[in-house]
Amino acid sequence: MKLNPVTEKFILHWGEMGSQWGVNRTMSQIHALLFIIGKPLNAEEITETLGVARSNVSNSIKELQHWGLVQKVSILGDRRDHFTTSTDVWELARIIVVERQKRELEPTVQFLQELMNSPEFEHENNEVKSRIRDTQEFVSTLTTWSSEMLKLPTSILKKVLKLGASIKKVLR
């Protein structure tokens, strides 16, 4: 499949964003391709379009499925597996936030709580204990807040996010 220049730039940028966020570049580019094209593609089409190794495509698709970002679909008359993703960027953002919470924030909250519950914690100096408590409170609050935000309908979530800095007027 030949990509138009804007589509190609989008895919390349999505790959760069992914690598900035600690995600494999090819995995991000595959996701971007499926998102921007908006139709199911098989692994060979993905390999050919992106010019990457077939094994890299297979591994990336498995990881994208593990994240819940890509689904396998069947196409009538074609025995090959095809892959698709949501074309709703808000839905994708929700999936990514949920996964990052599970993989990063929740284990950090648990680790910090275990650290504070350990017998060694009481022997630590007060500044260190205070910073660990503050960090645990911050990560826990962030996790709780983002969980609550994810429960909002997209229309409300958009409004909340668009409020931005003006929210401080409401809170004063």
Side-chain angles (χ1 to χ4, degrees), residues 41-49 52-54 57-58 61 80-83:
L41 298 175
N42 63 51
E44 289 77 24
E45 291 171 315
I46 295 169
T47 299
E48 178 187 309
T49 303
V52 295
R54 176 68 167 82
V57 169
S58 294
I61 287 172
R80 297 173 293 185
D81 290 332
H82 289 72
F83 303 93

Side-chain angles (χ1 to χ4, degrees), residues 112-128:
L112 292 169
Q113 190 61 55
E114 289 170 3
L115 197 59
M116 291 186 310
N117 292 342
S118 71
E120 297 88 3
F121 188 74
E122 288 308 313
H123 302 294
E124 194 56 66
N125 76 55
N126 287 335
E127 288 178 12
V128 169

Side-chain angles (χ1 to χ4, degrees), residues 94-160:
R94 286 175 193 275
I95 293 168
I96 291 167
V97 170
V98 166
E99 284 299 315
R100 294 208 82 137
Q101 273 186 232
K102 282 194 297 192
R103 295 165 186 249
E104 298 165 24
L105 296 178
E106 290 170 11
T108 301
V109 169
Q110 182 179 349
F111 166 77
L112 292 169
Q113 190 61 55
E114 289 170 3
L115 197 59
M116 291 186 310
N117 292 342
S118 71
E120 297 88 3
F121 188 74
E122 288 308 313
H123 302 294
E124 194 56 66
N125 76 55
N126 287 335
E127 288 178 12
V128 169
K129 290 194 295 191
S130 176
R131 289 186 185 115
I132 289 172
R133 283 187 191 106
D134 289 348
T135 303
Q136 193 277 345
E137 180 185 16
F138 168 75
V139 178
S140 181
T141 301
L142 181 62
T143 302
T144 301
W145 178 84
S146 61
S147 294
E148 291 303 313
M149 291 297 106
L150 291 172
K151 293 176 187 175
L152 296 174
T154 299
S155 61
I156 302 296
L157 183 58
K158 282 181 184 180
K159 288 177 184 175
V160 168

